[in-house]
Amino acid sequence: MRNTQQENYPVMQPVRKTGEEAISGTDCTLLDFWQWAYSSVMDNTERGIFAEWLVARALGADRGVRTEWDKYDICTAEGIRVEVKSSGYLQTWSQKHLSRIVFSIPKTHGWNGEEAVFDPESKRQSDIYVFCVHHHRMKDTVNPLDVTQWSFYVLPTRQLDRILGNQRTISLSGLLKLGAVQIDYAGLRHTVYGLYHTARIE
């Protein structure tokens, strides 16, 4: 039986915007909306998306538009599937203590946007995980737009699968015990590609 709904409502391909697009019926542009909605890069949601962009930029995979519902966060031109997770010690609200660094790593049923169905198999969808830690601890000097305030930990997905199985979260200390490679932003691309190719031949 043919799925006429899918034929009538296919996947929408977003077009990359410049920010200069007019918002019809107002005196505003898309940039006005972006400034209002996304200026607080320190908020957990925006900081997480910013971390994805940092990694995409480092890997040369930032040319298109982010897709919210993809199975993984980034796919490089070479086909490396990357999952990006982020955390930080500081929050925008008043804190009595620094936040604990914990990452979510559950297996998932990947969403197939072309068919509008979830994959039957639950698994970790990427080849590589990049864990991004905004490690700065002083609110008077915090600036998530400064890459020197970030640390990156890279780990092949098969390492998570082999040792942790169905575990859903992992701490920073747990990552280090698994052998995650800590790197600064400048070394991120080399590390991701190196670990990916090493994992493929193991």
Side-chain angles (χ1 to χ4, degrees):
M1 181 176 179
R2 300 177 67 186
N3 190 332
T4 56
Q5 184 177 9
Q6 285 181 225
E7 293 176 0
N8 292 333
Y9 304 101
V11 172
M12 296 176 64
Q13 300 297 337
V15 177
R16 189 168 174 131
K17 305 293 194 299
T18 67
E20 298 178 357
E21 292 80 4
I23 299 176
S24 180
T26 76
D27 61 351
C28 302
T29 66
L30 186 59
L31 178 61
D32 294 309
F33 163 67
W34 285 348
Q35 290 173 327
W36 175 84
Y38 302 116
S39 287
S40 184
V41 184
M42 274 297 297
D43 282 339
N44 282 330
T45 299
E46 281 70 39
R47 184 167 58 183
I49 295 173
F50 180 68
E52 287 183 30
W53 178 81
L54 281 177
V55 176
R57 182 71 176 179
L59 300 181
D62 63 322
R63 299 290 189 268
V65 178
R66 179 179 181 268
T67 302
E68 177 69 28
W69 44 260
D70 261 358
K71 298 178 184 180
Y72 35 81
D73 295 319
I74 298 166
C75 187
T76 71
E78 296 79 9
I80 303 174
R81 301 166 298 175
V82 182
E83 184 71 15
V84 179
K85 298 296 181 181
S86 68
S87 190
Y89 293 105
L90 297 178
Q91 308 296 336
T92 54
W93 54 82
S94 177
Q95 295 174 259
K96 293 183 179 179
H97 51 76
L98 296 174
S99 294
R100 182 169 175 260
I101 304 299
V102 178
F103 302 98
S104 175
I105 54 165
K107 294 181 178 181
T108 62
H109 293 275
W111 175 250
N112 184 329
E114 295 291 338
E115 301 293 332
V117 295
F118 286 99
D119 293 338
E121 180 185 3
S122 177
K123 65 179 183 178
R124 296 185 177 96
Q125 308 290 331
S126 66
D127 301 304
I128 292 282
Y129 272 73
V130 177
F131 299 90
C132 310
V133 177
H134 187 228
H135 61 246
H136 198 74
R137 302 182 185 217
M138 301 296 293
K139 284 197 170 183
D140 58 344
T141 54
V142 67
N143 178 14
L145 305 185
D146 179 357
V147 296
T148 66
Q149 294 189 5
W150 290 84
S151 298
F152 303 88
Y153 301 81
V154 185
L155 194 69
T157 302
R158 65 168 58 182
Q159 188 81 343
L160 291 173
D161 290 337
R162 182 168 62 241
I163 299 176
L164 300 185
N166 293 324
Q167 185 170 314
R168 298 180 63 84
T169 62
I170 190 169
S171 65
L172 181 56
S173 60
L175 274 179
L176 293 174
K177 289 178 182 177
L178 288 184
V181 177
Q182 180 180 355
I183 199 70
D184 61 11
Y185 188 68
L188 189 54
R189 179 185 177 90
H190 176 77
T191 302
V192 167
Y193 277 80
L195 286 179
Y196 170 74
H197 289 297
T198 298
R200 286 189 66 188
I201 62 177
E202 285 181 347

